[in-house]
Amino acid sequence: MAKAKKVRRAKPKKRKPAKLTSRSYFTMKELPPEIEERALASGGYPYDKKMKRKPYEKELRLLQIELLKLQEWAKKSGERIVIIFEGRDAAGKGGAIKRFMQHLAPRQARLVALSKPTEAELGQWYFQRYVPHLPSRGEMVLFDRSWYNRAGVEPVMGFCTEEQHQQFLEEAPKFEELLVDDGIRLFKLWLHIGREMQIKRQHARAHDPLKRWKLSPVDYKAIDHWDDYSRAFEKMIKATDTPHAPWTIILANDKLRTRLNAMRFVLSELPYSGRSEKSIGEIDKNIVLSGEECLARGLNK
């Protein structure tokens, strides 16, 4: 009797693990453990623990009192102050601005957070839509994103041409020099977070009904375009970090430290009446960097 032939079964092919996209992260109930573990240290963050709430609240109160002194000084002297908050999605811009504005008199302190340009605005000089929002005598204006949309989200997402992007990088320093020469005190703050921290925060927003409104279709794509944004931001800092309008980069993986140091930096740069150096405290040089220092460290990579 002939022996039965052995049937060889084909070995299943090994499949490469699917690359997780931003949409994948948003739909997960829980993030992979490695994302949680690496979040705080991502992006070159120098601390392995977040700041405690109790000392934060104590320092925050002192700094907010100093901000009230600053506002009174600006009101009496007619100073005009502009503070720009920029950074990747979920960098903590809104939270920092909220603590800045929390106790300021609303008549002399305004938040500007513009939506996408109208058809009429698209036909204007690019900076034109921002000019009406600049401060008058005695006012402070805080921009939650600014004209620097054209340095990041617009070129990355294809909302402007390469020619328009390049023109912006050439014109922004000239525009800002005009503002500064006219007496406006201009601060440009860049809040820097790491990739894993951005994923963690965006995931939390997606699963919180009270925060979900913060997510736009562009936000859902931000993680997939991490490297594109990194290149755009590096190009932006190189072109627009000038002596008259320098960038200040704040490593922002810990929201509490970020808010305190953003306030400290602004307060330390202005000669307002009755300032208390003790209340302002020392700027944390581990997380507050110049544009040059940021580029040297390659933090946006």
Side-chain angles (χ1 to χ4, degrees):
M1 185 182 239
K3 291 183 179 179
K5 290 183 179 180
K6 291 183 179 179
V7 178
R8 292 185 178 180
R9 295 181 181 177
K11 293 182 179 179
K13 291 182 179 180
K14 291 183 179 180
R15 294 184 179 180
K16 293 182 180 179
K19 184 180 178 182
L20 290 174
T21 63
S22 55
R23 181 69 66 172
S24 305
Y25 286 117
F26 291 137
T27 55
M28 288 178 177
K29 189 174 181 180
E30 294 182 358
L31 285 174
E34 61 269 20
I35 297 294
E36 292 281 357
E37 291 168 6
R38 294 200 300 257
L40 185 60
S42 63
Y45 198 70
Y47 295 109
D48 56 8
K49 290 183 181 178
K50 292 184 178 181
M51 186 177 188
K52 298 292 185 183
R53 175 68 59 171
K54 194 170 181 179
Y56 160 75
E57 290 178 348
K58 182 179 179 181
E59 293 177 35
L60 177 65
R61 175 179 169 80
L62 294 174
L63 290 168
Q64 288 178 330
I65 291 171
E66 292 300 304
L67 283 172
L68 285 168
K69 294 178 187 178
L70 170 61
Q71 186 179 44
E72 186 63 21
W73 167 76
K75 181 181 175 182
K76 289 180 178 179
S77 62
E79 291 282 350
R80 293 168 292 161
I81 301 169
V82 171
I83 309 173
I84 288 173
F85 289 82
E86 288 286 350
R88 294 180 189 265
D89 297 319
K93 299 179 291 295
I97 291 170
K98 180 179 178 180
R99 274 66 183 188
F100 259 87
M101 300 278 290
Q102 194 168 6
H103 298 291
L104 296 179
R107 289 185 179 179
Q108 284 83 41
R110 291 187 285 113
L111 166 63
V112 177
L114 301 183
S115 57
K116 66 180 183 179
T118 64
E119 285 298 319
E121 288 171 334
L122 286 171
Q124 298 172 348
W125 175 49
Y126 177 74
F127 295 94
Q128 188 170 337
R129 71 191 296 244
Y130 296 98
V131 172
H133 300 282
L134 294 172
S136 184
R137 285 177 56 85
E139 281 190 324
M140 295 173 60
V141 174
L142 284 70
F143 281 87
D144 185 349
R145 294 198 183 277
S146 64
W147 44 89
Y148 280 99
N149 277 335
R150 182 143 290 183
V153 65
E154 288 191 20
V156 170
M157 293 299 171
F159 299 151
C160 72
T161 65
E162 180 55 37
E163 183 181 1
Q164 289 171 324
H165 179 210
Q166 190 58 43
Q167 183 178 7
F168 168 82
L169 294 177
E170 293 172 4
E171 289 186 353
K174 299 174 187 176
F175 173 66
E176 291 166 359
E177 188 171 14
L178 289 173
L179 300 184
V180 173
D181 286 349
D182 198 55
I184 288 177
R185 307 266 190 170
L186 177 61
F187 296 90
K188 302 190 306 190
L189 306 182
W190 175 267
L191 307 190
H192 168 81
I193 56 172
R195 186 173 186 271
E196 285 81 4
M197 181 55 75
Q198 184 184 51
I199 293 170
K200 181 178 179 178
R201 290 183 183 175
Q202 296 284 54
H203 178 269
R205 287 180 177 182
H207 292 269
D208 185 343
L210 296 178
K211 295 181 179 179
R212 202 171 293 146
W213 63 270
K214 295 182 179 182
L215 290 171
S216 69
V218 170
D219 294 327
Y220 281 107
K221 298 176 182 177
I223 297 166
D224 300 333
H225 289 277
W226 179 271
D227 292 335
D228 297 326
Y229 274 112
S230 295
R231 286 187 286 270
F233 296 148
E234 184 174 339
K235 195 173 182 180
M236 175 197 77
I237 293 172
K238 285 180 178 177
T240 63
D241 183 45
T242 61
H244 56 268
W247 278 104
T248 298
I249 287 77
I250 303 178
L251 307 189
N253 282 359
D254 179 0
K255 293 179 181 180
L256 306 191
R257 286 191 178 98
T258 300
R259 296 164 188 170
L260 297 180
N261 280 280
M263 290 179 184
R264 284 195 181 106
F265 177 76
V266 172
L267 290 166
S268 68
E269 292 289 307
L270 294 170
Y272 61 94
S273 306
R275 60 185 286 157
S276 168
E277 300 294 342
K278 184 178 179 181
S279 295
I280 295 172
E282 292 188 13
I283 296 169
D284 187 345
K285 296 295 181 65
N286 290 320
I287 64 170
V288 180
L289 311 173
S290 67
E292 187 178 352
E293 288 172 323
C294 180
L295 292 175
R297 293 193 190 187
L299 292 175
N300 269 322
K301 297 278 192 307

